[in-house]
Structures are given as structure tokens and as C-alpha cells.
Amino acid sequence: MVYIYPMKWQVYHFQDILSTNETAKSFPDHAVIIAQRQNGGKGRYGRVWESPVGNLYLSAVVAGLGQQAPLMAFGAGIAVAEALASFGAGLKWPNDVLIAGKKVAGILLEQTEDGKLIIGIGVNVVSCPTTGMLYQATHLNGQITLSDLADKILSGLDSMISELQTNGFEPIRQKWMRLAVGIDQPIRVRLPHQEIGGVFRNLTPQGELVLETPDKTVQISAGDVFLIKG
Ligand code: BTN
């Protein structure tokens, strides 16, 4: 299958690298860094992202999004979930990609001082950690090639960036809601100093999670969500 990139990504392949996100920071707009393995793969909140050979480690450089840049967390989640649609992928706030309730991909957004957005994506294609994870992980059993997966994700990122620039966040918000898991379900959200339980009701126009707790409804802008199975 052929994917057309109106935006034309420039892809650079590396074998061994510390972190594709770190390398990407010194590359220009539209560059994509892909590594076979990372020795210092980074997850959200300074966690380690284990990065053995066989999985996908990709970082895309996007300039010019300005204040909209953080909202690409949701666009990137959609791009990955749609690339994995045939596996039944869904999204857990803000952008963990799940298959059958287990994490198959993670996304780490970083911004450089000169205003570039680095969209770092890790997908468990052939393996995943079995211990030490905050959330149970899964992998794709190698049922897609790394190049097909990268092509699909880049094509999706491209259309999400165009959507955000042309129509703003609302269409992305709506699409994210359709792919989200846990809506109207009880969840727990781990914040830096506390954990709150409630029902996940909505996503605000700023990308915050709307949580209905027994006493009040709160909007959460950062944290780890845990689905509670009924
Ligand atoms: C998370 O769920 O905590 C985010 C994980 C992000 C991992 C990817 S792998 C490619 C890119 N390079 C990194 O060092 N991290 C991201």
C-alpha cells in the first residue's frame, strides 16, 4: 500500500541511539528520527522506556504550531491508534494506546527552546516489558512491519497536523472521544501527591480530563489514568 505525505517527512534511520527524542531536537522541521534500539529511551514523567531491537522508536520534528503544540498529544494518539485500528486499538487519556486494556504504545511530547515540537512514539511490535510497568503492557506479535507501521503513523501525524492548523482542536477532540476507552466509566487518576477516583465524563477544549468525583467535577491536565474494570 502506498501512503502519500503531502507534508513530506525526511526520515533518518539510526541503529543505536540514546533517545530518538534527544537526537530529533537538533534536526529541522519535518525530520523523523527512527532507531533500531535506544539505550536511554524516555517515557513520561522521566520514566524509562525499554527499547530493545524489534519495536518502533520514532520521533518527528514539527515547527510552527505555537500554542497549539501541546494539543498534538491527542493528534499523535489518534495517528497511532488509527495505524493500529486493525488490532482494535483505543486511547487512554491523554495518549496511551491500548489493545484489550493493555498498553501497546506510548507517546512523549517535548518542546525545544526554539519552539519545535518533538513527537516521540514507541510501539511494542515484537516485545514488551513484563515487570516494573505502571500499566500492563502488550505487543503486536510482529504482525506488522516496522516500515508499514512508521508509514501509517507518519501519514496520520501529517493529517492531524493539517487538521489542527486548519480547523483547530475541536475535530481532533471529537475523534479522540470516539477512540477513547473509559468514557462514562469509573477510573482512578494518579496525580503527583494524590490519587482521585471518579467517572471519566469528557475532554475539554484544552485537552483536560473531566472527572466527576462524589463531591464535585474536576478538570485534570496531567496525571496517570487507571481504568477500573467492572
Ligand atoms: C510513555 O508512555 O511514557 C511515553 C513513551 C515514549 C517512548 C518513545 S520511544 C521514541 C521516543 N524516544 C524516547 O526516548 N521516548 C519516545
Side-chain angles (χ1 to χ4, degrees), residues 18-22 38 40-45 47-49 51 56-59 95-96 103 105-108 110 119-123:
L18 197 64
S19 153
T20 55
N21 266 30
E22 281 311 311
Q38 301 183 116
K42 299 187 292 181
R44 291 170 67 214
Y45 304 117
R47 293 177 193 131
V48 170
W49 186 260
S51 308
L56 182 69
Y57 314 109
L58 175 157
S59 297
N95 56 15
D96 283 345
K103 181 159 164 173
I107 297 170
L108 177 66
E110 294 186 86
I119 304 173
I121 297 171
V123 185

Side-chain angles (χ1 to χ4, degrees), residues 109-131:
L109 257 57
E110 294 186 86
Q111 277 183 276
T112 61
E113 280 178 6
D114 58 348
K116 288 182 298 195
L117 176 69
I118 311 297
I119 304 173
I121 297 171
V123 185
N124 300 329
V125 176
V126 297
S127 67
C128 63
T130 50
T131 54

Side-chain angles (χ1 to χ4, degrees), residues 196-207:
I196 327 176
V199 176
F200 172 22
R201 288 294 183 205
N202 210 340
L203 184 68
T204 71
Q206 291 74 40

Side-chain angles (χ1 to χ4, degrees), residues 117-214:
L117 176 69
I118 311 297
I119 304 173
I121 297 171
V123 185
N124 300 329
V125 176
V126 297
S127 67
C128 63
T130 50
T131 54
M133 294 288 288
L134 196 61
Y135 214 81
Q136 217 183 337
T138 189
H139 62 83
L140 301 171
N141 268 314
Q143 289 181 66
I144 186 166
T145 66
L146 292 175
S147 61
D148 275 359
L149 180 57
D151 281 356
K152 286 184 179 184
I153 291 174
L154 290 176
S155 174
L157 280 182
D158 211 4
S159 55
M160 285 298 114
I161 292 163
S162 305
E163 181 80 286
L164 187 62
Q165 288 178 322
T166 312
N167 300 314
F169 184 54
E170 185 52 23
I172 293 178
R173 196 188 72 81
Q174 288 180 18
K175 200 168 215 182
W176 188 93
M177 291 288 288
R178 287 195 290 275
L179 287 165
V181 292
I183 295 179
D184 293 330
Q185 306 281 321
I187 61 169
R188 296 198 66 77
V189 187
R190 188 173 297 172
L191 305 173
H193 302 292
Q194 59 170 330
E195 200 167 301
I196 327 176
V199 176
F200 172 22
R201 288 294 183 205
N202 210 340
L203 184 68
T204 71
Q206 291 74 40
E208 296 148 328
L209 179 154
V210 179
L211 186 73
E212 188 183 293
T213 76

